[in-house]
Amino acid sequence: MPETKNKKNIDFNEWYNEIVELADLCDKRYPIKGMNVWRPYGWKLMTHVDQLIREEMIKTGHEEVCFPLLIPESSFQKEAEHIEGFGSEVYWVTHAGLNKLEERWLLRPTSETAMYPLFSLWIRSHADLPLKTFQIVNTFRYETKQTRAFIRVREIHFFEAHTCHVDFEDAEKQIREDKKIAERLFTKLSLPFIFSKRPEWDKFAGAFYTISIDVLMPSGRTLQLGSIHQYRDNFSKPYEIKYETETGEHAYCHQTTYGMSERILGALVGIHGDDKGLVMPPSVAPVQVIIIPIIFKGKEKQIYKACDILDEKLHDNGIRSHVDKRDITPGSKYYDWELKGVPLRVEIGPKDLEKKEVVLVRRDTGEKKSIPEEKSIEIIEKELGDVSKTLYEKAKKFLTENMHRVKTIDEAKKFKGIVELPWCGSEDCALEVENILEGNTLGEPIDEEKCSGYICPICSRPAETWMRYAKMY
Ligand code: ZN
């Protein structure tokens, strides 16, 4: 069976670059660097991820909106830190036809400054709150580092939820809900992750605090898949998002946002894939079960019929299946569908028909077995669940084995992946650790007791918290 030229365990980055094109996810030949074309299979995968996000949003009372792509410069300029954070990354529109615009417009790098002037019109009284919205749109950031499909791009397929609340505590409640959404969503995607509270100097531009959602890629680098931000009233003041309280006073809203991107697809590719191609969790696989007829002369009709019957039964049970009737060898079909990461393969040939059996092959483990035809639906349903669980556990094991809590820099140097060191709270000390380890400050663990009885390995003052470091994408 053919395999990728690059091996995942030897050169992960090259393997990743090869697989995203080989599996028909994207085409990187578009003449603007970092703006890739979504090919049909990649786009199907992405829309399935979007659908899971949408379901979570709707379940938690968020409403979908769709704001314009262009933002006037004057709206963008209102929150000082935000401009500073994004200023060097935005694309500007300066002309309309032959006319120079009186005011420049920018392509949204994120949508706070597009939405908030409207939120200030929509929100009048406490009865309008909480306002919970989200949109799934493209955003644009002028990326100067080396681009990489789904991981570092200039046009980003982006999810963003924006909420407004009566006060800080209600916004905190939203953040607790966001964390639960992340847990449910990433479990469905078989992607174990960690929450970290980003350090002050690396939080989102304008946020009060930022919680990041990071996964560990097989290269040992972390990949940030999303972030949850508490804005407090940092944006509502400049954008005048005010409401009338029950006692008739005027108060500023407290706001949160929740962002995720196509990086989720990058994580699915990188974490679950192997040298035969993608391995997709059943929750998003465009085809969950591929049925391959094993044709023998004279038995064609019977075999196709058995395949069609199973296909229909699977559809009736809400399982995405497909019969591959192309005129090529079964071996070529196996290769194609393995490359695409289809979780289960069913083979039906004349011998199986005689025995009233079908052959079932798992993409993740390669395990192959014959199962009774009459029980095939229930077995397939169970196997799909097992594939999700096995993928999750394998990734979880990798994350656990590559995350180390240590006390000294020397110990930290021994490990790849994520290390946690005692931290005194000073930015200089964290940056010094970054230098020594040639990594980045990921952030503090959340929901945990403080780090007491340890000293900062740089300045020897008592540590306040643990701080995580890793090389990041
Ligand atoms: Zn220190």
Side-chain angles (χ1 to χ4, degrees):
M1 204 55 44
E3 294 196 343
T4 48
K5 273 201 262 16
N6 297 288
K7 301 294 169 232
K8 185 177 176 183
N9 289 335
I10 295 168
D11 189 344
F12 173 79
N13 289 334
E14 282 311 308
W15 168 86
Y16 179 90
N17 289 340
E18 185 185 349
I19 208 81
V20 293
E21 289 199 300
L22 205 59
D24 277 342
L25 300 181
C26 69
D27 196 324
K28 290 181 272 190
R29 293 172 297 181
Y30 192 74
I32 299 179
K33 200 174 147 243
M35 295 190 181
N36 301 328
V37 176
W38 290 90
R39 300 194 58 166
Y41 193 70
W43 186 244
K44 252 182 225 154
L45 273 169
M46 193 66 236
T47 54
H48 284 187
V49 174
D50 290 346
Q51 195 46 36
L52 293 182
I53 297 173
R54 220 174 237 121
E55 282 165 16
E56 282 296 339
M57 284 292 112
I58 289 164
K59 200 160 78 183
T60 48
H62 292 76
E63 287 188 301
E64 190 162 4
V65 293
C66 190
F67 270 73
L69 163 65
L70 294 170
I71 304 171
E73 183 169 14
S74 54
S75 298
F76 183 65
Q77 299 287 15
K78 280 188 181 159
E79 207 289 322
E81 277 182 42
H82 193 71
I83 316 158
E84 217 188 289
F86 281 101
S88 63
E89 289 185 11
V90 297
Y91 291 95
W92 292 100
V93 175
T94 57
H95 287 76
L98 299 175
N99 302 320
K100 189 164 183 271
L101 293 171
E102 269 178 39
E103 181 186 14
R104 296 192 295 172
W105 300 331
L106 62 118
L107 304 187
R108 62 178 161 230
T110 168
S111 300
E112 282 74 3
T113 62
M115 291 176 161
Y116 298 174
L118 273 292
F119 283 6
S120 80
L121 302 173
W122 292 355
I123 295 166
R124 284 280 162 260
S125 104
H126 60 91
D128 299 324
L129 296 170
L131 178 76
K132 295 167 79 165
T133 64
F134 75 100
Q135 64 178 12
I136 299 177
V137 293
N138 287 13
T139 58
F140 295 81
R141 293 181 193 176
Y142 175 57
E143 193 53 75
T144 50
K145 291 186 198 155
Q146 196 193 2
T147 57
R148 187 181 302 281
F150 313 124
I151 290 179
R152 195 172 285 287
V153 289
R154 290 173 171 171
E155 180 170 359
I156 309 162
H157 182 71
F158 195 62
F159 153 84
E160 50 184 328
H162 294 258
T163 67
C164 300
H165 305 267
V166 287
D167 56 19
F168 182 76
E169 182 41 40
D170 201 57
E172 286 288 289
K173 206 169 100 194
Q174 182 58 48
I175 287 180
R176 292 194 287 275
E177 180 177 87
D178 292 345
K179 290 196 282 194
K180 285 193 185 129
I181 290 171
E183 269 154 25
R184 289 194 296 262
L185 175 72
F186 289 107
T187 303
K188 282 183 195 156
L189 297 169
S190 305
L191 292 175
F193 67 92
I194 51 170
F195 285 125
S196 302
K197 190 173 171 196
R198 281 272 192 264
E200 273 300 297
W201 61 90
D202 202 23
K203 65 187 184 184
F204 181 81
F208 175 54
Y209 69 77
T210 292
I211 294 172
S212 66
I213 298 168
D214 299 280
V215 293
L216 185 62
M217 294 289 266
S219 56
R221 286 178 184 262
T222 58
L223 179 67
Q224 184 177 346
L225 297 190
S227 42
I228 299 167
H229 311 287
Q230 164 67 271
Y231 287 168
R232 218 169 45 182
D233 51 6
N234 292 357
F235 282 89
S236 66
K237 281 182 175 158
Y239 287 90
E240 304 212 349
I241 310 174
K242 285 187 287 193
Y243 67 96
E244 199 178 306
T245 65
E246 282 174 64
T247 52
E249 284 151 25
H250 287 274
Y252 287 104
C253 289
H254 284 245
Q255 293 175 282
T256 78
T257 58
Y258 188 171
M260 290 187 283
S261 75
E262 62 186 81
R263 281 184 160 197
I264 293 175
L265 184 52
L268 290 171
V269 172
I271 290 176
H272 301 318
D274 62 22
D275 292 344
K276 286 181 179 173
L278 308 175
V279 181
M280 280 298 137
S283 59
V284 291
V287 177
Q288 295 168 314
V289 180
I290 184 68
I291 304 170
I292 313 277
I294 311 293
I295 296 301
F296 276 75
K297 273 216 162 61
K299 306 256 179 174
E300 293 95 337
K301 246 181 139 177
Q302 255 177 297
I303 289 167
Y304 280 137
K305 195 179 157 204
C307 290
D308 287 339
I309 290 172
L310 179 63
D311 188 40
E312 208 183 309
K313 272 201 241 166
L314 288 167
H315 278 268
D316 290 346
N317 283 274
I319 295 168
R320 296 187 290 273
S321 62
H322 174 67
V323 185
D324 188 348
K325 292 182 181 173
R326 288 177 300 166
D327 190 17
I328 53 173
T329 63
S332 308
K333 294 178 185 177
Y334 299 166
Y335 168 73
D336 277 0
W337 295 108
E338 279 175 355
L339 183 59
K340 293 231 158 54
V342 173
L344 291 179
R345 179 172 87 221
V346 169
E347 303 165 8
I348 303 180
K351 281 183 192 154
D352 308 307
L353 275 189
E354 275 169 30
K355 289 191 269 180
K356 293 196 162 74
E357 285 180 349
V358 302
V359 173
L360 193 65
V361 185
R362 264 173 74 157
R363 173 66 182 87
D364 60 331
T365 58
E367 191 195 338
K368 187 171 179 170
K369 62 183 176 192
S370 288
I371 60 167
E373 196 280 321
E374 54 170 12
K375 285 195 177 159
S376 54
I377 301 297
E378 107 193 48
I379 295 173
I380 285 170
E381 275 176 343
K382 185 183 170 294
E383 289 286 340
L384 286 172
D386 283 353
V387 171
S388 303
K389 229 196 283 165
T390 308
L391 289 178
Y392 184 86
E393 280 160 10
K394 195 176 156 210
K396 179 79 186 174
K397 184 166 176 272
F398 179 77
L399 175 63
T400 313
E401 285 174 357
N402 288 285
M403 207 165 142
H404 297 277
R405 181 165 282 190
V406 295
K407 283 156 217 144
T408 65
I409 295 281
D410 282 342
E411 283 177 275
K413 280 182 183 168
K414 283 190 250 166
F415 299 111
K416 243 177 90 171
I418 303 161
V419 291
E420 294 177 339
L421 279 162
W423 183 52
C424 64
S426 126
E427 179 175 348
D428 287 345
C429 288
L431 296 180
E432 183 58 26
V433 177
E434 285 190 2
N435 271 335
I436 300 170
L437 298 180
E438 293 171 1
N440 305 88
T441 309
L442 205 57
E444 302 163 32
I446 57 168
D447 298 333
E448 221 188 306
E449 82 287 4
K450 294 280 169 191
C451 168
S452 52
Y454 295 108
I455 57 161
C456 172
I458 301 296
C459 68
S460 300
R461 281 180 296 177
E464 284 176 7
T465 61
W466 294 96
M467 183 54 96
R468 291 174 175 151
Y469 301 89
K471 290 187 168 64
M472 289 160 88
Y473 274 104

